[in-house]
Amino acid sequence: MSRPRLLLLSSSVVHGHGFLEYAASDINTFLNKNRVSTVLFVPYAAVDHDAYLAKVRPVFTKWGYQVEGIHQDNPVDAVKRAEAIFVGGGNTFLLLKTLYDKNLVKLIRERVFEDGVPYIGSSAGTNIAAPSIHNTNDMPIVYPPSFNALNLIPFNINPHYLDTDPNSTHKGETREERILQYHSLPDAYDVYNVLGLREGSLLLVDGEMGVLKGIKNARLFIKGKPPQEIEVGTDLSHLFANQLKASAVRL
Amino acid sequence: MSRPRLLLLSSSVVHGHGFLEYAASDINTFLNKNRVSTVLFVPYAAVDHDAYLAKVRPVFTKWGYQVEGIHQDNPVDAVKRAEAIFVGGGNTFLLLKTLYDKNLVKLIRERVFEDGVPYIGSSAGTNIAAPSIHNTNDMPIVYPPSFNALNLIPFNINPHYLDTDPNSTHKGETREERILQYHSLPDAYDVYNVLGLREGSLLLVDGEMGVLKGIKNARLFIKGKPPQEIEVGTDLSHLFANQLKASAVRL
Ligand SMILES: [Ca+2]
Ligand SMILES: [Ca+2]
């Protein structure tokens, strides 16, 4: 048993910044600290895996890391030997379904929990680090065998969190309404707390220690309480207390 | 075997109009033509069924119709004797899961196809009239046993269709990107054409005849073709040709 080391980004792109640029120093610190030289990239949230790898590889190469694409080899073997895993954004349903189809859900979780393999997620890759994908914004274009996900942390994440636009004339639900409706479900449903990560915010996890990083605040939805603003630098370890072990039992 | 009679609204509320107001004359014409006196309301897309019924009932009462709530009685019996069905908006996943849990999916479809029971849907209620809910905008707060839906028409619907805002700094996918990604899935996936109904647009279906109504244009996504603008009044019967019977076999 090791401890999970995670870096969970709201998105890969933030207005005014290049691909992964706003998170460059956090990613580099995270990988260096864990003595990583090769990153296993998981492009399953997109349809075209080669094109996605071609976009991601130069960024990590520039930083001095090698990048392997999980789709270029037997994916189970690739995860078994991975030094670090980066799961990119795209469609969360397609990503999770593909991980189930290829028998990777339990394996990735084991590598993170038992071997301490550092995990970086962005957007969909961050969604699946949670107990479930119930709080993704994505369109359900494919049907996964479950909404249960990697369960690396004991709460759900809503990436690309968006504040309500007071000038909008659109009548679809706001993001806050959607999350509060999730929390209003009858008790028969398994419901988790939700961390809304605005584009530009990211969560660094080391065991049961969590801290908000990046350039934007987050919004935290604890079931039964009013939503709270979370500033960059805030210690979120209380969200992990007494919960990691219970949830670790589930898989 | 009868023919399906459907009125599928993008939303119940449109900016500047009261609840169902923009569609009042279409709803009244539809119900009068079919000699309906009582409407069975299905509030399963919301958590609080009584509150939802209390919001919907006065609107139909004002128009001269009685409203029964499906949750006030045995739901199977209520559907079996329904003269007309109105399925309201809310969360599409919660709606579809509840219909499956209560064994109503096949039954509603039979009543529409075999007995010609008029069906009105709004938002989530429109989503589930399609072959699948793959193009809902809702958050997947619960896990339904399938994304296959009532299959009353041979194409999917994206309600609350939103145009791309050229001034947005948000990096989440646009609605058009999401639908085009759905259409780019590998051939192994069952993919349907998608009608994007802007708030204020609605689809009137009578057998294999379909026409766009309301106060806003729609956007049509035929797989492999560029998206097309559809003006109010456009005959969409070509979308039904040779497809209703094939899809009718599925359930
Ligand atoms: Ca996405
Ligand atoms: Ca909705």
Side-chain angles (χ1 to χ4, degrees):
Chain A
M1 191 74 181
S2 187
R3 59 185 210 279
R5 297 169 173 90
L6 318 170
L7 195 62
L8 303 175
L9 284 62
S10 174
S11 62
S12 295
V13 187
V14 175
H15 182 65
H17 298 262
F19 190 76
L20 291 176
E21 202 179 83
Y22 80 98
S25 76
D26 286 314
I27 293 173
N28 276 279
T29 303
F30 182 72
L31 293 176
N32 284 335
K33 203 172 149 187
N34 290 291
R35 295 179 196 78
V36 171
S37 60
T38 303
V39 174
L40 179 67
F41 175 57
V42 179
Y44 293 149
V47 171
D48 187 338
H49 303 157
D50 286 331
Y52 203 175
L53 176 61
K55 184 176 178 181
V56 165
R57 180 172 268 151
V59 178
F60 282 85
T61 303
K62 189 180 67 188
W63 294 335
Y65 304 99
Q66 293 198 280
V67 178
E68 191 189 347
I70 192 172
H71 61 292
Q72 297 180 302
D73 191 3
N74 178 304
V76 167
D77 293 342
V79 171
K80 281 184 178 163
R81 67 167 180 264
E83 281 179 59
I85 298 171
F86 171 44
V87 183
N91 185 282
T92 306
F93 297 87
L94 184 59
L95 171 60
L96 186 60
K97 177 173 172 26
T98 308
L99 292 179
Y100 274 111
D101 288 351
K102 297 184 185 296
N103 293 310
L104 297 170
V105 174
K106 194 159 174 284
L107 180 63
I108 293 176
R109 186 169 201 279
E110 281 169 4
R111 297 272 7 240
V112 172
F113 267 85
E114 289 171 19
D115 304 329
V117 171
Y119 177 101
I120 303 175
S122 176
S123 191
T126 287
N127 258 307
I128 63 157
S132 82
I133 63 162
H134 285 301
N135 303 103
T136 176
N137 312 304
D138 287 335
M139 194 173 263
I141 59 173
V142 302
Y143 184 70
S146 169
F147 285 170
N148 292 336
L150 295 174
N151 197 21
L152 306 177
I153 54 173
F155 48 91
N156 282 349
I157 294 205
N158 178 252
H160 302 275
Y161 184 80
L162 254 190
D163 293 292
T164 303
D165 174 0
N167 299 315
S168 173
T169 59
H170 187 66
K171 298 298 180 184
E173 298 89 345
T174 67
R175 196 65 60 83
E176 180 159 317
E177 283 168 355
R178 292 171 191 268
I179 297 170
L180 294 177
Q181 189 189 32
Y182 170 65
H183 279 171
S184 78
L185 284 170
D187 288 340
Y189 292 98
D190 243 3
V191 157
Y192 295 91
N193 296 325
V194 180
L195 182 63
L197 289 178
R198 292 188 181 88
E199 291 179 354
S201 65
L202 51 107
L203 179 70
L204 175 67
V205 177
D206 191 336
E208 305 199 4
M209 187 281 295
V211 62
L212 187 73
K213 305 209 63 169
I215 55 176
K216 276 283 173 66
N217 293 348
R219 196 157 175 86
L220 177 63
F221 297 81
I222 302 283
K223 190 185 163 170
K225 290 193 185 173
Q228 309 163 45
E229 279 296 305
I230 305 292
E231 289 185 13
V232 174
T234 300
D235 183 341
L236 290 168
S237 303
H238 60 96
L239 293 176
F240 292 80
N242 299 321
Q243 291 186 59
L244 263 186
K245 279 165 204 93
S247 53
V249 167
R250 212 195 57 198
L251 252 178
Chain B
M1 192 74 183
S2 185
R3 59 185 210 279
R5 297 168 173 91
L6 318 169
L7 195 64
L8 303 176
L9 284 61
S10 174
S11 62
S12 296
V13 187
V14 175
H15 183 66
H17 298 262
F19 189 77
L20 292 176
E21 201 180 83
Y22 79 99
S25 77
D26 286 314
I27 294 172
N28 277 277
T29 303
F30 181 73
L31 293 176
N32 284 335
K33 203 173 147 185
N34 289 291
R35 294 181 197 80
V36 171
S37 59
T38 303
V39 173
L40 179 67
F41 175 57
V42 178
Y44 293 149
V47 171
D48 188 336
H49 302 156
D50 285 331
Y52 203 176
L53 176 60
K55 184 176 177 183
V56 165
R57 179 172 268 152
V59 178
F60 282 86
T61 303
K62 189 180 68 188
W63 295 334
Y65 304 99
Q66 293 199 283
V67 178
E68 191 190 347
I70 192 171
H71 62 291
Q72 298 180 300
D73 190 4
N74 178 305
V76 167
D77 293 342
V79 171
K80 280 186 179 163
R81 67 166 180 263
E83 279 179 59
I85 298 171
F86 171 43
V87 183
N91 185 281
T92 306
F93 297 87
L94 183 59
L95 170 60
L96 187 60
K97 177 171 171 31
T98 308
L99 292 180
Y100 274 112
D101 288 349
K102 296 183 185 297
N103 292 309
L104 297 170
V105 174
K106 194 159 173 284
L107 180 62
I108 293 176
R109 186 168 201 278
E110 282 170 0
R111 298 270 10 239
V112 171
F113 267 85
E114 289 171 19
D115 305 329
V117 171
Y119 177 101
I120 303 175
S122 176
S123 191
T126 288
N127 259 307
I128 62 157
S132 83
I133 64 163
H134 285 302
N135 303 103
T136 176
N137 312 304
D138 286 335
M139 193 173 264
I141 59 172
V142 303
Y143 184 69
S146 169
F147 285 171
N148 292 336
L150 295 174
N151 197 22
L152 306 177
I153 54 172
F155 48 91
N156 281 349
I157 294 204
N158 178 251
H160 301 274
Y161 184 79
L162 254 190
D163 294 291
T164 304
D165 174 359
N167 299 316
S168 173
T169 59
H170 187 65
K171 300 297 179 185
E173 299 89 346
T174 66
R175 197 64 62 81
E176 181 159 314
E177 284 168 356
R178 292 171 191 268
I179 296 170
L180 294 177
Q181 189 189 33
Y182 170 65
H183 279 171
S184 77
L185 285 170
D187 288 342
Y189 292 98
D190 242 3
V191 156
Y192 295 92
N193 296 324
V194 181
L195 181 64
L197 289 177
R198 292 188 180 89
E199 292 180 355
S201 66
L202 51 105
L203 179 69
L204 175 67
V205 176
D206 191 335
E208 304 199 5
M209 188 281 295
V211 62
L212 187 73
K213 304 209 65 169
I215 56 176
K216 275 283 174 65
N217 293 348
R219 197 159 175 85
L220 178 62
F221 297 82
I222 302 283
K223 190 184 163 170
K225 291 193 184 173
Q228 309 162 44
E229 280 296 304
I230 305 292
E231 290 186 10
V232 174
T234 301
D235 183 341
L236 291 168
S237 303
H238 61 96
L239 293 176
F240 292 81
N242 299 321
Q243 291 187 59
L244 263 187
K245 279 165 204 92
S247 53
V249 167
R250 212 194 58 199
L251 252 177

